Amino acid sequence: MASKPSIPKGTRDFSPTEVAKRQYIMQIIRSNFEKFGFQPIETPSFENSDTLMGKYGEEGDRLIFKILNSGDYLAKANEAHLESRDSTKLTSSISEKALRYDLTVPFARYVVQHQNDIEFPFKRYQIQPVWRADRPQKGRFREFFQCDADVVGSTSLWQEVELVQLYDTVFTALGLDGVTIKINNRKILSGIAEVIGASDKLIDFTVALDKLDKIGEDGVKKEMIEKGITADAIEKVQPLFHFTGTISEKITQLSQLLAASNEGMKGVEELRFICDNVSKLGLATAILDLDVTLARGLNYYTGAIFEVAAPKTVAMGSIGGGGRYDDLTGIFGLKNMSGVGISFGLDRIYLVVEELNLFPETVTTATKALFINYGDNEALYAMQAIKKLRAAGVKVELYPDSAKMAKQFQHADRRNIPYAVIAGDKEMETNSYSLKNLASGEQLVVDFEALKAALL
């Protein structure tokens, strides 16, 4: 007996309705990317392993899907590693490629590889799937789309100001009022680690701090102690766990906390510039908030970091994020190439828009009218009209078989097609069409121009 077909955990099939809704979101994101001057590129779904490994921190590296080498992949396997069953060391000899974990590192590789063909500053956007070997749960998948916008070749903080505006513009267009754009700066985190005497534990410190909303204050402190950060140091950062006030008040508190750190004060001034100018320009529906516990545990961020939270009425993880990376391309040999970028989490945005019932009804309207099929002569008459309607941009189709009318109407009903067009002997004789509204039952006899006008 054949086994029941299935798909891997953390992946999904999408119905026509779901695809239409996803394309609606992507089109809004894409149109605003282009409105802000970003140009599209695409990169392969898999990269050489050494392009990806070591760029996301220890936790990120574990979530990268490795691809086994073609053919007899064990033929070149390291015998000692194979004998000792050391999978970590064995991997490098049996897998040379991996599915991309995000779009940013492949973009950095792209910039370095094509640097002689690129006009800098280079503003690119990319809407493609990525893969992570994560534990599947609501809003977290192993295969999902990212929608990224990045600028490389400029250190100007006006780019960060623009990216906040871009977030606000897209979420406003989607009807997602009240999203919170959280902002912080890695220099501030470095400064905090410095003033508490834990600079050598910066990565451990930021990775733990970034989990505050998931594991709580006690969980973060426990993880920090396990990573070797002293109780004294943790006591000094206690104010961070209860940081309140306006953005201006928070910046003042940070100035006092980080007065002894040059790096930390640079981060404070960068934050002040971005937040002050966003405030002067204003936001339509989004809220900007300074979150000093925001760390985004990715090693390549060096300046501003962003994370976007859904409206408070929806229980969902982040729906976007990004930041400034001053030395990412340096990993691939191109020095002094600063960049900053943000990402929209398409799949989570979909879930939020769906939960809040914000998709317009027209998004899922595909075929506008179904022509009823009475036989080959009538079908040819119908197809002549269908061809002209399609040329005018109307989505119409002919039922392929001359089945019973009840079956054809039932087909239209199940597919939510709003109109049926009847073209039988009577209509052919008078060069007309009977247009039936399937919701109301109203039926009118019209000529072609009236039919087109009704369906446009």
Side-chain angles (χ1 to χ4, degrees):
M1 183 175 173
S3 60
K4 186 178 178 182
S6 63
I7 58 174
K9 288 182 180 178
T11 64
R12 295 147 298 158
D13 290 322
F14 297 108
S15 69
T17 297
E18 290 167 327
V19 170
K21 290 178 175 179
R22 287 165 64 84
Q23 288 177 342
Y24 164 77
I25 294 172
M26 281 192 274
Q27 183 49 40
I28 285 178
I29 293 172
R30 182 181 289 108
S31 65
N32 281 290
F33 279 168
E34 293 178 357
K35 200 182 294 181
F36 277 66
F38 293 88
Q39 302 173 23
I41 68 163
E42 291 188 356
T43 59
S45 56
F46 57 94
E47 297 271 351
N48 293 323
S49 295
D50 57 8
T51 297
L52 304 177
M53 298 299 290
K55 310 305 189 300
Y56 306 102
E58 187 180 332
E59 290 193 14
D61 281 355
R62 284 201 297 267
L63 300 180
I64 292 173
F65 275 108
K66 285 81 176 178
I67 301 172
L68 290 173
N69 294 338
S70 303
D72 185 3
Y73 56 86
L74 285 178
K76 295 181 180 178
N78 182 290
E79 291 289 344
H81 298 157
L82 193 59
E83 187 77 23
S84 65
R85 301 172 69 87
D86 188 333
S87 60
T88 304
K89 291 178 180 175
L90 181 64
T91 300
S92 61
S93 62
I94 64 173
S95 172
E96 297 170 354
K97 300 175 187 67
L99 292 176
R100 61 174 172 238
Y101 176 91
D102 73 352
L103 298 178
T104 307
V105 170
F107 171 54
R109 189 267 309 152
Y110 175 94
V111 170
V112 174
Q113 201 169 336
H114 300 276
Q115 58 187 286
N116 295 327
D117 306 315
I118 293 172
E119 172 62 28
F120 295 104
F122 179 45
K123 301 175 75 172
R124 88 80 168 86
Y125 78 83
Q126 212 169 333
I127 301 177
Q128 287 187 281
V130 299
W131 294 267
R132 296 182 186 179
D134 217 340
R135 185 170 65 85
Q137 53 187 287
K138 182 184 177 183
R140 188 184 295 276
F141 308 102
R142 288 176 171 169
E143 179 185 61
F144 57 97
F145 267 73
Q146 282 188 340
C147 311
D148 282 14
D150 289 76
V151 188
V152 290
S154 171
T155 58
S156 170
L157 294 175
W158 283 109
Q159 306 291 358
E160 279 86 339
V161 174
E162 274 229 291
L163 290 173
V164 173
Q165 297 286 324
L166 176 56
Y167 265 142
D168 179 51
T169 303
V170 168
F171 288 121
T172 299
L174 287 168
L176 281 177
D177 296 357
V179 303
T180 300
I181 304 168
K182 300 176 184 178
I183 185 172
N184 197 13
N185 195 296
R186 287 292 288 230
K187 293 184 179 73
I188 285 173
L189 295 168
S190 298
I192 292 169
E194 182 186 338
V195 298
I196 66 172
S199 291
D200 60 327
K201 300 283 185 180
L202 174 61
I203 299 300
D204 294 329
F205 171 76
T206 55
V207 167
L209 192 62
D210 197 41
K211 297 177 181 175
L212 181 63
D213 60 338
K214 296 172 188 168
I215 62 176
E217 181 180 339
D218 291 340
V220 170
K221 289 178 178 177
K222 181 173 179 286
E223 183 167 324
M224 285 182 176
I225 288 170
E226 288 170 354
K227 294 291 186 180
I229 298 169
T230 67
D232 259 1
I234 294 171
E235 183 61 32
K236 289 176 184 175
V237 298
Q238 183 64 36
L240 294 184
F241 296 112
H242 308 283
F243 218 61
T244 58
T246 64
I247 289 178
S248 180
E249 289 167 346
K250 289 177 182 177
I251 288 176
T252 300
Q253 292 175 62
L254 283 173
S255 298
Q256 295 165 354
L257 179 65
L258 299 172
S261 169
N262 287 335
E263 181 77 353
M265 289 307 295
K266 281 181 190 173
V268 170
E269 290 312 310
E270 288 179 10
L271 269 183
R272 195 192 308 276
F273 179 91
I274 297 164
C275 294
D276 282 355
N277 283 294
V278 168
S279 176
K280 288 169 186 172
L281 288 166
L283 296 173
T285 61
I287 301 157
L288 184 66
D289 183 39
L290 169 53
D291 182 352
V292 291
T293 67
L294 176 61
R296 291 192 66 80
L298 298 181
N299 291 347
Y300 53 67
Y301 289 128
T302 55
I305 43 180
F306 301 102
E307 191 163 280
V308 182
K312 290 183 173 60
T313 53
V314 182
M316 182 62 67
S318 64
I319 57 175
R324 166 73 64 175
Y325 41 89
D326 281 334
D327 55 5
L328 186 61
T329 54
I331 297 167
F332 300 118
L334 182 59
K335 303 292 184 183
N336 304 315
M337 184 63 70
S338 185
V340 60
I342 59 172
S343 181
F344 292 81
L346 170 68
D347 299 273
R348 287 188 177 182
I349 292 170
Y350 177 100
L351 292 174
V352 174
V353 175
E354 180 87 324
E355 187 169 331
L356 296 176
N357 197 28
L358 295 173
F359 284 110
E361 285 185 20
T362 53
V363 168
T364 55
T365 301
T367 298
K368 193 73 178 284
L370 178 73
F371 279 71
I372 303 301
N373 189 333
Y374 288 98
D376 288 343
N377 289 335
E378 293 86 348
L380 177 60
Y381 177 75
M383 283 298 292
Q384 289 168 337
I386 287 171
K387 185 176 180 179
K388 289 189 283 186
L389 287 168
R390 286 172 178 166
V394 184
K395 298 175 184 177
V396 288
E397 60 183 277
L398 172 73
Y399 192 83
D401 305 303
S402 55
K404 291 181 179 179
M405 280 188 67
K407 183 178 181 180
Q408 297 188 51
F409 280 122
Q410 188 179 59
H411 177 75
D413 184 56
R414 285 176 175 171
R415 289 185 50 205
N416 295 315
I417 297 174
Y419 292 98
V421 179
I422 299 165
D425 290 339
K426 190 189 300 182
E427 285 81 12
M428 289 172 67
E429 287 172 10
T430 56
N431 201 26
S432 63
Y433 307 86
S434 293
L435 178 65
K436 183 170 185 175
N437 184 315
L438 295 177
S440 67
E442 181 185 7
Q443 185 168 314
L444 299 171
V445 177
V446 294
D447 61 14
F448 176 78
E449 288 304 319
L451 176 67
K452 182 171 76 170
L455 297 178
L456 276 172

